Amino acid sequence: MKLKPEQTSFHAHHSPMGAYATLTFGMFGASGGLAAEAALPGEGGLSVGFIDSDGVINELPLLGIQEDDRSSYVDQIEEGAAKETHRLIPAAEIKRTYDWATDRFEAGNLKIEIINPFYSLPDPACSSYEDQRRASCPAGFIRLSFDNRSGSEDTTVFCGFPLKQRERWRLFESDGMVGGIHRDSMGFATCESAKPFVHWSIEDALRFPNEADPFLLGDTAGLLFDVAAGRTGEFLIAYGFYLGGNVTYGKPMKYWYSRYFQSVENVLGYALEHAEYYLDEAVARDRELHVAELSDAQKFLIAHATHSYYGSTQWFDDGGKPRWVVNEGEFRMMNTFDLTVDMLFYEMRFNPWTVRNVLEQFVAEYSYYDELFLPDHPGKMYPGGLTFTHDMGVANHFTPDGQSSYEVKGLDRECFSFMSCEQLTNWICCAGVYFAQTDDFQFLEKHRQVLLECFASLLNRDNPNPEKRNGIMAFESSKTWPGGEITTYDSLDHSLGQSRGNTYLAGKSWASYLALNHLFKQLGMADEADEAYVAAERCAATLVAAYDDQLGFIPAVLERGNESAIIPAIEGLIFPHEMGLEAMVSFNGPFSDYIYTLQKHLLNILKTGVCLYEDGGWKLSSTADNSWMSKIGLCQYVARQVLNISVDPRSDEAHMDWQVKGSAAYACSDQFVSGKARGSCYYPRIVTNILWLDEQCGTCGKANKVSEEQMR
Amino acid sequence: MKLKPEQTSFHAHHSPMGAYATLTFGMFGASGGLAAEAALPGEGGLSVGFIDSDGVINELPLLGIQEDDRSSYVDQIEEGAAKETHRLIPAAEIKRTYDWATDRFEAGNLKIEIINPFYSLPDPACSSYEDQRRASCPAGFIRLSFDNRSGSEDTTVFCGFPLKQRERWRLFESDGMVGGIHRDSMGFATCESAKPFVHWSIEDALRFPNEADPFLLGDTAGLLFDVAAGRTGEFLIAYGFYLGGNVTYGKPMKYWYSRYFQSVENVLGYALEHAEYYLDEAVARDRELHVAELSDAQKFLIAHATHSYYGSTQWFDDGGKPRWVVNEGEFRMMNTFDLTVDMLFYEMRFNPWTVRNVLEQFVAEYSYYDELFLPDHPGKMYPGGLTFTHDMGVANHFTPDGQSSYEVKGLDRECFSFMSCEQLTNWICCAGVYFAQTDDFQFLEKHRQVLLECFASLLNRDNPNPEKRNGIMAFESSKTWPGGEITTYDSLDHSLGQSRGNTYLAGKSWASYLALNHLFKQLGMADEADEAYVAAERCAATLVAAYDDQLGFIPAVLERGNESAIIPAIEGLIFPHEMGLEAMVSFNGPFSDYIYTLQKHLLNILKTGVCLYEDGGWKLSSTADNSWMSKIGLCQYVARQVLNISVDPRSDEAHMDWQVKGSAAYACSDQFVSGKARGSCYYPRIVTNILWLDEQCGTCGKANKVSEEQMR
């Protein structure tokens, strides 16, 4: 959609799928640029513009405005004509259109589009070599155009890629392509008629006597294109990445694309050769979002989330087998499970096989068994059970089996403690949704024993003594001894941060029991199914009973007089809903009390000063000034689709503002403190909002599939 | 030598040979740390200290003092007891001893030594697998000790390696070692009894409940050692590097060490297993410098230069053949020829084969043919000849054959112009010294034609018309058309920066002709030898005639009334001297006029305000406030050894101060503006001062070889 003038300046990932690589730019005057495996935007940028009839360089402000590194070579930089012939195009003259797969900047006769096709990654288990090759190709496209129809002189347009200072390029020309490559790991190329350059900047490239004579000490390489007077020039450039060989540590793996490509030249050549296919896919995605009956702000949030998601994805070749990893944005933790469970909906829509892949990684490598204790009587250990680690490593360093990079023993409900109970519910809920949407019985059969162990483990965390269970976690993992577990909301206060007695986690426990009920039924295990159902009833009953009429909501933590109000009490409803267990989330179903209670809960807390900010943005907890965009997207969907609660569209505008202003420098972020990104920047998790695409319209509750007609 | 208290805080490389890798630290409170292929000190450091009887962490200030990255994970950092239990040891309590291969810090009972053994790299053409393996092993050592003999309680000492923020570690334990590894590319290990840790800092590692429980989100990994009360603990740690696979671009090559090692664990294991051998080598080098009859400042400068030199060296495996590359410090240009010719003396002492190796790279790949023109009549081209590029690439990007990364066409005597004439003299002079000191007739025979072409090319640059020659460059390379060439002194004014008519370059032309004379004689080419000798005479005669009695020196540039005085007019004398052509540089020899003239020249300009700074430091040109340590070292040796001119030892003190204060953050640097490092930081070239080791004492002129007795 077209962005308002005050909303045009923010960074966005522009990434291929599964390559953990990006061309990040869009915040005017801020650095970014090509980068692989980076936690945050880089120190380069994009140098795009044209030379006007006065010889002035007109450049979009898509790179960091900073001194170049010339001064270390030369005593004194000559100031002079050059400075006066270089004009950064002011923001007011720039129009930006931000679609699902295309980011477009227009200024006068200049237009640049960055195009990142995405689509369902074909399951490696059952697709062709060519399909795999095409889907894994780590490239994106830039379409640069200049309308010189009213011009009386030929002009030059340029597209350059500044790197971090002191990084260098080589130029290449082969197979009808010309381009530049940095460290054999990233580069760009075109098949059009173009003059390549390398210099410190476009300004220097044009100022030096031999215009495009490569000066290989420069950190900016790029292409110059001529546009004749009276004509329009349109030029397609591919940019791409290639990290060959083992790129992970602890467990050595390669990128999946390295099965199909031998070099970055190879990647670029393939991308350009198959450009039509890729550009068509991008058009299809753009149109798909365009025609959805959602507000512009909602469409923006979906598009922005998607851009950041792919920027964090890694599709590995683990000794011939595919392995899917999503990095945790700026934190770079790998397959953080409490992100996986949120990105589930996106991946189920596009690549269900990645969900199975990650779940099986957790079972095979990143699970562990613990014991349990009661915090008030830490002296005695009780049987615990199977559960899963928080993550699988960090910054390409896989942790040893059964360990995460994040979790530290012995902490009491503070950041970096264990999330044993929550990760257990995450595995169960993901497995439930995965099976319900795929009917993958093979998966189910294979993990029959895991499901049984998960069930036992979850029950024990309520209470190892069946007589004393109330459906809600009360026992702590021995990993935390003598402390206590936390939830994914690790940087919030206890209202969402602590696990035991937590209403948010209780909701996911309820969902887990229902998922187990469903899965056991499918496996023909009627007794276990019944037992799981009873557990769900127990949990719901406790939660219903915990509703405090005086407060008007269920307190966040069911202990010690806690009085916080939290939106994510409703979060667990998403799982039975997505599993198609509509009866379970119906106002007329067996859990109607629970559903009515949560409706009441949410209606009462969605108030400014409680769980709404002044700008209409959602505040996850009444007692913490810290809100997470991924969870908001999910809970808004639950509110509309399950609880029949309209959502004020002002919130979408607010959330869009948080992203484009509060997180301008960090692309799409998750965690916001009073509308400013803080931690969880450059993050993949926000794609929970893919759920909105299933809604008839943005604020009411009916399923919507885009019709064929609308697509045309 | 022991450093004075005010000279202890400066960075130094601590590097293995040929791995382009370093552990840089030493400037208190400044960041640095482990790094591979880095242009400047990194963003990590070294965390070394002990815990005193009050539980206070006492740490040397060997890392950057900055906020950690905790704030992005946790809302609020708890301030408290921890802060008060951490003490950075003040500089006043730290003693530093800086030897050739050992850098030692002592504070109270704590001592840490960083040991970097170096010695002659065995010629791969004729040495054993084991010798090659040992020499290429990319590791260094840390010896950490604590004297707890008077202590009544056990204590803990620690050695940690902070990385750049967001970089991560994995721990390992195997083959009796325990240690940490980052990205499979660098790490540390010990065979002693130690507890490894990973955390944000040593403080955090000790504060968290499970002391050494690895927290893999931390950027600091390290080792904790116990020292019992009443005992002294001494612990040996190896640190090492490993970049596997192709590491260069344009021309793919691996590190030579990857022929002998499979991983960084493998490197560390080997280093620890062979520690005795390595430590003995380090002791031998330390002693060698220690007993030399040089001042402490001179010894310091040699040691410091050597540390930085190895930090820039790359020993590659080019498809099975060794390839030697020295990077140009912060600029990372590869085998910059005008550095090669200065580092020649160091390499001839230690690894003559690397000189041959580099010379042959230039012949086979980095040479070109040009034409020539007279700047006043640029319309006409004359025959030119063979010459060599400025460098072979930058930042591991090899340039295409015949091209450098630095040189840009069409510039007129400004930075980044061509150095065609100077690089030609560099090849000839290097070849002359190489042959004279090795008697490698095979090399000579192989390059007979190259020598002939070099001779013709050098003559043409004087004047293509033999009748009009005066021995000095007057014709410009067509590469610069319609501009002009520069010398290695690219950031100085024309006194040293321009090539034609330049007294510095003329001195090297004279030396080149003498070298050719000698080489042609060896090849039995009497006519060519004679012709070369005549050319040398012609050159010397012109220079002698150019001596200006009124000025009291030979002007820097023999055109347009230049009146600059330059020290490097004497630089060329080094080559015949090092070739053993003593008669040629004798006051009684055939060039006595020239030698006397240069003696007079130098005596007259070595004056404060002309070519001396106030502090006694040398100023290469009277008209530029820009002095290069490598050239000073060389010219001081020439002054003493050839021109019999005493050098005021105050200059050595000044130059040491330039390095330890003016370049504290950049280890050893070359270029200084009024005593402050500016450009050419973190540089390898300063090893010209290895020449001093051949002197009887620091200020007078007799050859000195350290006797066996002195060594003991």
Side-chain angles (χ1 to χ4, degrees):
Chain A
M1 75 287 339
K2 287 214 169 78
L3 299 173
K4 295 176 196 155
E6 68 275 18
Q7 290 182 323
T8 49
S9 174
F10 60 88
H11 268 341
H13 279 93
H14 303 90
S15 304
M17 302 184 284
Y20 198 9
T22 180
L23 171 62
T24 293
F25 69 94
M27 179 182 177
F28 302 152
S31 65
L34 291 171
E37 304 186 338
L40 285 170
E43 297 172 41
L46 193 62
S47 174
V48 176
F50 65 99
I51 297 155
D52 69 18
S53 53
D54 297 326
V56 176
I57 301 168
N58 286 259
E59 187 173 5
L60 290 169
L62 301 178
L63 68 182
I65 310 301
Q66 58 192 2
E67 289 183 305
D68 62 25
D69 58 349
R70 221 171 322 158
S71 58
S72 54
Y73 291 94
V74 213
D75 238 353
Q76 227 178 335
I77 299 166
E78 287 161 50
E79 302 282 343
K83 291 278 172 205
E84 298 144 31
T85 60
H86 191 178
R87 171 181 179 260
L88 280 180
I89 301 171
E93 295 178 22
I94 303 169
K95 289 177 192 141
R96 184 171 184 180
T97 313
Y98 195 74
D99 289 327
W100 211 2
T102 308
D103 191 3
R104 184 182 300 111
F105 296 80
E106 289 168 279
N109 297 323
L110 179 72
K111 179 164 76 175
I112 177 167
E113 295 164 293
I114 290 72
I115 303 159
N116 296 102
F118 63 93
Y119 53 89
S120 286
L121 294 173
D123 185 347
C126 53
S127 61
S128 70
Y129 176 92
E130 198 49 40
D131 283 350
Q132 288 290 304
R133 188 171 195 215
R134 193 162 47 209
S136 68
C137 181
F141 297 91
I142 295 173
R143 192 160 48 206
L144 180 64
S145 64
F146 190 82
D147 183 346
N148 203 19
R149 283 176 299 177
S150 60
S152 57
E153 289 180 53
D154 297 354
T155 190
T156 298
V157 293
F158 57 87
C159 181
F161 299 82
L163 296 172
K164 185 179 167 182
Q165 276 195 13
R166 300 185 183 280
E167 292 303 333
R168 303 291 176 245
W169 290 96
R170 65 185 174 87
L171 297 180
F172 78 102
E173 206 171 335
S174 66
D175 302 328
M177 285 187 297
V178 58
I181 290 178
H182 167 63
R183 291 183 72 89
D184 287 0
S185 65
M186 51 188 77
F188 61 88
T190 187
C191 295
E192 322 272 355
S193 166
K195 217 167 169 182
F197 71 87
V198 184
H199 219 295
W200 282 312
S201 66
I202 181 65
E203 190 183 327
D204 292 307
L206 295 170
R207 186 174 54 138
F208 268 64
N210 290 277
E211 237 185 48
D213 206 40
F215 174 57
L216 297 165
L217 293 184
D219 47 35
T220 299
L223 299 162
L224 304 174
F225 302 95
D226 290 331
V227 184
R231 307 291 282 270
T232 289
E234 187 179 280
F235 312 101
L236 188 69
I237 302 163
Y239 65 91
F241 304 89
Y242 194 87
L243 298 180
N246 291 333
V247 293
T248 61
Y249 319 107
K251 300 180 180 182
M253 298 175 205
K254 304 175 200 296
Y255 276 100
W256 192 250
Y257 60 66
S258 69
R259 297 166 68 94
Y260 304 99
F261 299 97
Q262 282 65 57
S263 66
V264 67
E265 288 97 323
N266 192 203
V267 165
L268 294 166
Y270 182 91
L272 289 168
E273 192 184 339
H274 296 79
E276 197 181 331
Y277 174 90
Y278 288 121
L279 299 178
D280 283 353
E281 284 286 354
V283 167
R285 282 309 87 65
D286 285 349
R287 197 169 293 164
E288 208 171 315
L289 186 63
H290 185 68
V291 301
E293 291 187 21
L294 295 168
S295 71
D296 276 358
Q298 286 182 309
K299 290 178 191 173
F300 170 82
L301 288 166
I302 291 173
H304 204 37
T306 303
H307 279 246
S308 259
Y309 170 78
Y310 284 115
S312 280
T313 55
Q314 284 179 304
W315 188 3
F316 286 130
D317 175 2
D318 178 15
K321 290 185 181 159
R323 185 186 282 245
W324 187 252
V325 168
V326 183
N327 278 264
E328 199 184 329
E330 65 164 321
F331 301 136
R332 294 200 282 175
M333 281 176 275
M334 299 154 80
N335 281 340
T336 303
F337 208 167
D338 35 308
L339 269 73
T340 302
V341 73
D342 287 331
M343 301 181 300
L344 169 71
F345 314 107
Y346 189 91
E347 293 180 343
M348 286 309 302
R349 184 183 184 100
F350 284 98
N351 329 304
W353 68 266
T354 66
V355 175
R356 174 177 177 155
N357 184 280
V358 173
L359 289 177
E360 295 194 330
Q361 292 178 52
F362 272 108
V363 169
E365 299 160 56
Y366 292 98
S367 55
Y368 61 90
Y369 292 88
D370 61 0
E371 293 185 291
L372 301 171
F373 68 95
L374 260 181
D376 290 340
H377 301 92
K380 188 174 175 196
M381 283 292 166
Y382 295 84
L386 176 69
T387 186
F388 305 91
T389 61
H390 169 272
D391 59 73
M392 304 182 179
V394 60
N396 286 13
H397 292 74
F398 278 98
T399 40
D401 284 359
Q403 291 179 33
S404 72
S405 64
Y406 175 99
E407 289 153 318
V408 174
K409 288 178 194 165
L411 298 182
D412 191 10
R413 293 165 296 162
E414 59 173 305
C415 207
F416 312 116
S417 183
F418 276 74
M419 301 187 186
S420 312
C421 185
E422 171 154 357
Q423 306 304 3
L424 176 62
T425 66
N426 289 340
W427 200 93
I428 299 166
C429 290
C430 285
V433 171
Y434 171 76
F435 174 78
Q437 297 190 1
T438 59
D439 288 332
D440 183 349
F441 273 97
Q442 192 194 31
F443 172 84
L444 208 58
E445 285 292 353
K446 184 172 168 189
H447 299 294
R448 178 190 291 261
Q449 184 59 29
V450 172
L451 289 164
L452 279 169
E453 291 195 28
C454 284
F455 184 33
S457 181
L458 190 56
L459 288 170
N460 280 346
R461 283 159 216 278
D462 171 355
N463 200 312
N465 181 348
E467 307 297 318
K468 297 188 175 170
R469 288 176 188 155
N470 69 351
I472 292 182
M473 174 193 156
F475 280 63
E476 300 284 1
S477 171
S478 52
K479 296 280 189 181
T480 71
W481 191 90
E485 294 176 35
I486 55 173
T487 76
T488 183
Y489 293 97
D490 56 0
S491 59
L492 275 86
D493 68 348
H494 282 190
S495 68
L496 273 164
Q498 89 163 42
S499 292
R500 70 172 185 256
N502 193 292
T503 306
Y504 149 72
L505 186 53
K508 286 177 79 168
S509 299
W510 170 79
S512 298
Y513 289 128
L514 286 183
L516 288 167
N517 165 257
H518 180 73
L519 299 175
F520 287 141
K521 276 197 282 188
Q522 301 301 314
L523 284 164
M525 299 159 73
D527 291 351
E528 289 82 356
D530 289 348
E531 205 189 332
Y533 190 80
V534 170
E537 287 181 320
R538 207 157 44 211
C539 180
T542 301
L543 288 165
V544 169
Y547 185 88
D548 185 319
D549 279 320
Q550 210 159 347
L551 293 172
F553 54 83
I554 313 174
V557 183
L558 306 186
E559 64 170 36
R560 289 161 218 238
N562 178 289
E563 295 192 352
S564 297
I566 55 170
I567 291 174
I570 70 168
E571 198 176 317
L573 296 175
I574 191 66
F575 300 104
H577 177 76
E578 288 299 301
M579 288 179 68
L581 308 175
E582 284 306 318
M584 303 298 154
V585 290
S586 160
F587 286 96
N588 309 312
F591 291 98
S592 65
D593 279 0
Y594 181 47
I595 306 302
Y596 271 115
T597 302
L598 288 177
Q599 188 190 45
K600 218 167 22 168
H601 171 97
L602 186 62
L603 279 170
N604 287 338
I605 67 174
L606 272 187
K607 287 174 181 156
T608 307
V610 185
C611 286
L612 287 181
Y613 284 98
E614 290 289 339
D615 61 5
W618 282 31
K619 187 162 175 287
L620 294 175
S621 163
S622 63
T623 50
D625 180 12
N626 189 332
S627 213
W628 295 9
M629 201 68 93
S630 57
K631 297 297 196 178
I632 292 172
L634 192 161
C635 289
Q636 289 192 328
Y637 175 81
V638 169
R640 290 189 292 257
Q641 292 293 315
V642 179
L643 300 179
N644 277 335
I645 295 174
S646 294
V647 170
D648 184 348
R650 218 162 57 96
S651 71
D652 300 316
E653 300 288 346
H655 300 147
M656 179 172 172
D657 248 23
W658 293 6
Q659 293 293 359
V660 303
K661 293 175 187 163
S663 179
Y666 305 112
C668 198
S669 292
D670 199 15
Q671 186 181 336
F672 287 83
V673 174
S674 298
K676 302 272 172 244
R678 170 147 176 204
S680 307
C681 292
Y682 218 52
Y683 223 59
R685 190 190 214 170
I686 301 90
V687 287
T688 47
N689 60 26
I690 195 71
L691 290 162
W692 302 347
L693 263 193
D694 290 331
E695 299 184 78
Q696 178 61 21
C697 65
T699 52
C700 59
K702 293 258 163 50
N704 166 47
K705 299 282 172 194
V706 175
S707 72
E708 283 296 307
E709 253 166 312
Q710 282 172 303
M711 290 290 296
R712 279 185 205 118
Chain B
M1 76 284 341
K2 286 214 170 78
L3 299 173
K4 294 175 195 155
E6 69 275 19
Q7 290 183 323
T8 49
S9 174
F10 61 88
H11 269 342
H13 279 94
H14 302 91
S15 303
M17 301 184 285
Y20 198 10
T22 180
L23 171 61
T24 292
F25 68 92
M27 180 181 175
F28 302 151
S31 65
L34 291 171
E37 303 186 339
L40 286 171
E43 297 173 40
L46 194 62
S47 175
V48 176
F50 66 98
I51 297 155
D52 69 18
S53 53
D54 296 328
V56 175
I57 300 168
N58 286 259
E59 186 173 6
L60 290 168
L62 300 178
L63 69 181
I65 309 302
Q66 59 193 1
E67 289 184 308
D68 63 25
D69 59 349
R70 219 172 323 157
S71 57
S72 54
Y73 292 92
V74 212
D75 238 350
Q76 228 179 334
I77 299 166
E78 288 161 50
E79 303 281 344
K83 290 279 173 204
E84 297 143 30
T85 59
H86 191 177
R87 171 180 180 260
L88 281 180
I89 300 171
E93 295 177 23
I94 302 169
K95 289 178 193 141
R96 184 171 183 180
T97 313
Y98 195 74
D99 289 327
W100 211 2
T102 309
D103 191 4
R104 184 182 300 111
F105 296 79
E106 290 166 277
N109 297 322
L110 178 72
K111 180 164 72 174
I112 176 168
E113 295 164 292
I114 291 74
I115 302 159
N116 295 104
F118 63 94
Y119 53 89
S120 287
L121 293 174
D123 185 346
C126 54
S127 61
S128 70
Y129 177 92
E130 197 49 39
D131 282 351
Q132 288 291 303
R133 188 171 194 215
R134 192 161 47 207
S136 68
C137 181
F141 296 89
I142 295 174
R143 192 160 46 205
L144 179 63
S145 63
F146 190 82
D147 183 346
N148 202 19
R149 281 177 300 178
S150 60
S152 57
E153 287 179 54
D154 297 353
T155 190
T156 299
V157 294
F158 56 88
C159 181
F161 299 82
L163 295 172
K164 186 179 167 180
Q165 276 194 14
R166 300 187 181 280
E167 293 303 333
R168 303 291 177 244
W169 290 96
R170 64 183 174 88
L171 298 181
F172 78 101
E173 206 172 333
S174 66
D175 302 328
M177 285 187 297
V178 59
I181 290 177
H182 167 62
R183 292 182 72 88
D184 286 1
S185 65
M186 52 188 76
F188 61 87
T190 187
C191 294
E192 322 271 355
S193 167
K195 219 167 170 182
F197 70 87
V198 183
H199 219 294
W200 282 312
S201 66
I202 181 66
E203 190 183 326
D204 292 307
L206 295 171
R207 185 173 54 138
F208 268 64
N210 290 278
E211 237 184 52
D213 206 38
F215 173 57
L216 296 166
L217 293 184
D219 47 33
T220 299
L223 298 163
L224 304 174
F225 302 93
D226 291 330
V227 183
R231 308 292 282 270
T232 289
E234 187 178 278
F235 311 101
L236 188 69
I237 301 164
Y239 64 92
F241 304 90
Y242 194 86
L243 298 179
N246 291 334
V247 293
T248 62
Y249 319 107
K251 300 181 180 181
M253 298 175 206
K254 305 175 199 295
Y255 276 100
W256 192 251
Y257 61 66
S258 69
R259 298 166 66 95
Y260 305 99
F261 299 96
Q262 282 65 56
S263 66
V264 67
E265 288 95 324
N266 192 202
V267 165
L268 295 167
Y270 183 91
L272 289 169
E273 192 183 338
H274 297 79
E276 196 181 333
Y277 174 89
Y278 288 119
L279 298 179
D280 284 352
E281 284 286 353
V283 166
R285 284 308 87 63
D286 285 348
R287 196 169 295 165
E288 209 172 313
L289 187 63
H290 185 69
V291 301
E293 290 187 22
L294 296 168
S295 71
D296 274 359
Q298 287 182 309
K299 290 179 191 174
F300 170 82
L301 288 166
I302 291 173
H304 203 37
T306 303
H307 278 247
S308 259
Y309 170 78
Y310 283 114
S312 279
T313 54
Q314 283 180 305
W315 188 3
F316 286 131
D317 175 3
D318 178 14
K321 290 184 182 160
R323 186 187 281 245
W324 187 252
V325 168
V326 183
N327 278 263
E328 198 185 331
E330 64 164 321
F331 301 136
R332 293 200 284 176
M333 282 177 275
M334 299 154 79
N335 282 341
T336 303
F337 208 166
D338 34 308
L339 270 72
T340 302
V341 72
D342 287 330
M343 300 182 301
L344 169 70
F345 314 108
Y346 189 90
E347 293 180 342
M348 286 309 301
R349 184 183 185 100
F350 283 99
N351 329 304
W353 69 266
T354 66
V355 175
R356 175 177 177 154
N357 184 281
V358 174
L359 288 176
E360 296 195 329
Q361 291 178 52
F362 272 108
V363 169
E365 299 160 56
Y366 292 98
S367 54
Y368 61 90
Y369 292 88
D370 61 1
E371 292 184 293
L372 301 171
F373 67 95
L374 259 182
D376 291 340
H377 301 92
K380 189 174 173 194
M381 281 293 167
Y382 296 84
L386 176 69
T387 186
F388 304 91
T389 61
H390 169 272
D391 60 72
M392 303 183 180
V394 60
N396 286 13
H397 292 74
F398 277 98
T399 41
D401 285 358
Q403 291 179 33
S404 72
S405 64
Y406 175 98
E407 288 154 317
V408 174
K409 288 177 195 164
L411 298 182
D412 190 10
R413 292 166 296 163
E414 60 174 304
C415 208
F416 312 117
S417 184
F418 276 74
M419 301 186 186
S420 310
C421 186
E422 171 154 356
Q423 306 304 1
L424 176 60
T425 65
N426 288 341
W427 200 93
I428 299 167
C429 290
C430 284
V433 172
Y434 171 75
F435 173 78
Q437 296 190 1
T438 60
D439 287 332
D440 182 349
F441 272 97
Q442 192 195 31
F443 171 83
L444 207 58
E445 285 292 353
K446 183 172 170 190
H447 299 294
R448 178 190 292 259
Q449 184 59 28
V450 172
L451 289 165
L452 278 169
E453 292 196 27
C454 284
F455 184 34
S457 181
L458 190 56
L459 287 170
N460 280 346
R461 283 158 217 279
D462 172 355
N463 201 310
N465 180 347
E467 306 298 315
K468 295 187 176 170
R469 288 178 187 152
N470 69 351
I472 292 183
M473 174 192 157
F475 280 62
E476 300 284 1
S477 171
S478 51
K479 297 280 188 182
T480 71
W481 190 90
E485 296 177 32
I486 54 172
T487 74
T488 183
Y489 292 97
D490 57 0
S491 60
L492 274 88
D493 68 348
H494 281 189
S495 67
L496 274 163
Q498 89 163 41
S499 291
R500 71 172 184 257
N502 193 293
T503 306
Y504 149 72
L505 186 53
K508 286 176 80 167
S509 299
W510 170 79
S512 298
Y513 289 127
L514 285 183
L516 288 167
N517 165 256
H518 180 73
L519 299 176
F520 287 140
K521 277 197 281 189
Q522 302 300 315
L523 284 164
M525 297 159 74
D527 291 351
E528 290 81 356
D530 289 348
E531 204 189 331
Y533 190 79
V534 169
E537 286 180 322
R538 207 155 46 212
C539 181
T542 301
L543 288 166
V544 168
Y547 185 88
D548 184 319
D549 279 320
Q550 210 157 348
L551 293 172
F553 53 84
I554 312 174
V557 183
L558 305 186
E559 66 171 35
R560 288 160 217 237
N562 177 290
E563 295 192 351
S564 295
I566 55 170
I567 291 173
I570 70 167
E571 197 176 316
L573 297 175
I574 191 67
F575 301 103
H577 176 77
E578 288 299 301
M579 288 178 70
L581 307 176
E582 283 308 318
M584 302 298 154
V585 290
S586 159
F587 285 96
N588 308 313
F591 290 97
S592 65
D593 278 0
Y594 182 47
I595 307 302
Y596 271 114
T597 303
L598 289 178
Q599 186 190 46
K600 215 166 23 166
H601 171 96
L602 186 62
L603 279 169
N604 287 338
I605 67 176
L606 270 187
K607 286 173 182 157
T608 307
V610 185
C611 287
L612 287 181
Y613 284 98
E614 290 290 338
D615 61 4
W618 282 31
K619 188 163 175 286
L620 293 176
S621 163
S622 63
T623 51
D625 180 13
N626 188 332
S627 213
W628 294 11
M629 202 67 94
S630 58
K631 297 297 197 178
I632 292 173
L634 193 162
C635 289
Q636 289 192 327
Y637 175 81
V638 168
R640 290 189 293 256
Q641 291 293 314
V642 179
L643 299 178
N644 277 335
I645 295 174
S646 295
V647 170
D648 183 348
R650 218 163 59 96
S651 71
D652 300 316
E653 300 288 344
H655 300 147
M656 178 171 172
D657 248 22
W658 293 6
Q659 293 292 1
V660 302
K661 293 176 187 161
S663 180
Y666 304 112
C668 198
S669 292
D670 198 15
Q671 186 181 336
F672 286 82
V673 174
S674 298
K676 300 273 173 244
R678 169 147 177 205
S680 306
C681 293
Y682 218 51
Y683 223 60
R685 189 190 215 169
I686 302 90
V687 288
T688 48
N689 60 27
I690 195 72
L691 290 162
W692 302 348
L693 261 193
D694 290 331
E695 299 185 77
Q696 178 63 20
C697 66
T699 52
C700 58
K702 294 260 163 49
N704 166 45
K705 299 281 173 195
V706 174
S707 72
E708 283 295 308
E709 250 167 314
Q710 282 173 305
M711 292 288 296
R712 279 184 206 116

